Amino acid sequence: MKRLLPGKGFFGYLLYTAAVLLLMLWLQFPTAAVKAKAESELNRMLPGFVWRIGSVGLALPADIRFSQIRISGKDGKEPLLVIESIKLRPDFAAWQKTRSWSALWRLQALGGAASGRAALRKDRSGLDYSGELSGIRLDSLGLQKILAAWGRTATGTLSASFSGKQDGQNGLFAEFESRFSMKKGTVSLQKPVLGMKELAFDSLSAALRHHRDRVLHVETGKLTSRLLEASFSGTVSLQTADFSLSQLRLHGQLAPRSEFLASLGSPLAASLLKTQLQDGGKLPFDLVGPVSEPGIIFAGLPADFSSQLGGGDSGR
C-alpha cells in the first residue's frame, strides 16, 4: 500500500510545476490588453469623464492592480481626480458557493480608502456592487480642484456605505443607495447666509437613493454644529453631462441655538429671526438651483436679510 502513495519527489514536482506556471503567467500577463479593456469599460460606464490608467500589473496572492488612474473631463485636459490604485481579487468563495463571477475590490484615493465586492449578474446584464469608504479628505488636492471650479472650498472627513446596480443603458449608477457622513468640516459659501461666510459643522449626514429616473433622492439629512442644527430632504435632478448643472430642490428646517442669535450682533435682526421660528424654534428653508451655485430661501425673512448681517461666525 505504501508503494501506491506518492513520494516526496512527486510533491516536489507538483510544487515546481505550479511555480513555473505562476512565473509564466506573471511574465506573460497581457498588460496592454487588460489596460485597454479596463479603460474602455470605465469610459462606457461613466461617459461623462475620460479615464486613463497609468499601469496594470499582478500582485500576490491573486490581485490585479491598476495604478495612477486619472479621471478628466471630456476636454481631456488636466485630470480632475487621480486614484492611487484599484485592486481586484477573484472571489473564489462566492464561485464555490453560487458559481457566480465576482471580485473583491479595494481603492485608495483622496487620503482614504474604499473596499467592497462586485458581481456579474447571471443573465450577464450588468454588475451588482457594494462597499464602504472611509477617511476621504475633503481638503485633498483632487476634490479641491473640483470645488475650485465651483468657487468653493471644503474640509472634513467623509465615510459612507453604499450598494448599487450597473447596466449598459444606465451606467454605473443605474440603481444606487448610500448613507454618508462627514465629520468636523467646513463649506465655504459664495454669499453670506444668516451672516455666515462659511458653514462649519460637527457632523453632516444623509441617505441617498437613485433608481433609474435621473433623480437622486436625499433623505433624512441632518447637520449639527455649535450654533445650529438642521434637517433636510429633497431631490437632485441629475445632469450627467455636467454634474455642476444638476438641480437641487431641498426643503428643511433650521434650529438656531441661543449662541447663534447672540452672534448676529443686531438685536433687531435677532428679534426678526425669532418671530419667524416655528415648530419648537425652527426656521423653514428651501435650497434650490444648480449644485455649483444654489440659492437659499428662508420663509418670512427679507430677501436681503443675510447680506445685511455681513460676515459673522462660521457656525462651528
Side-chain angles (χ1 to χ4, degrees), residues 170-247:
N170 295 287
L172 186 61
F173 303 108
E175 295 185 19
F176 181 77
E177 293 187 2
S178 175
R179 180 76 193 181
F180 77 86
S181 174
M182 293 189 288
K183 302 291 186 183
K184 299 293 183 182
T186 60
V187 177
S188 66
L189 303 172
Q190 293 173 330
K191 296 179 180 179
V193 175
L194 297 181
M196 298 182 294
K197 291 184 178 180
E198 67 174 20
L199 177 63
F201 56 86
D202 294 322
S203 67
L204 173 62
S205 63
L208 306 176
R209 177 172 53 86
H210 174 251
H211 288 278
R212 301 177 185 270
D213 56 0
R214 296 190 183 277
V215 176
L216 183 66
H217 297 265
V218 182
E219 302 169 344
T220 62
K222 185 176 181 180
L223 179 144
T224 63
S225 74
R226 178 176 64 87
L227 299 182
L228 54 86
E229 291 186 356
S231 59
F232 57 91
S233 61
T235 61
V236 184
S237 298
L238 299 172
Q239 295 290 330
T240 54
D242 187 348
F243 180 74
S244 67
L245 299 179
S246 298
Q247 295 293 309

Side-chain angles (χ1 to χ4, degrees), residues 77-93:
K77 295 181 180 179
E78 185 178 355
L80 299 171
L81 180 64
V82 177
I83 298 174
E84 297 170 26
S85 67
I86 299 176
K87 287 184 179 181
L88 296 178
R89 177 182 301 176
D91 190 349
F92 297 114

Side-chain angles (χ1 to χ4, degrees), residues 16 23 52 83 89 133 191 195 217 277 283 287 309 315:
Y16 171 77
L23 180 62
R52 293 188 177 91
I83 298 174
R89 177 182 301 176
L133 59 86
K191 296 179 180 179
H217 297 265
L277 297 181
L283 179 67
L287 189 64
L309 295 174

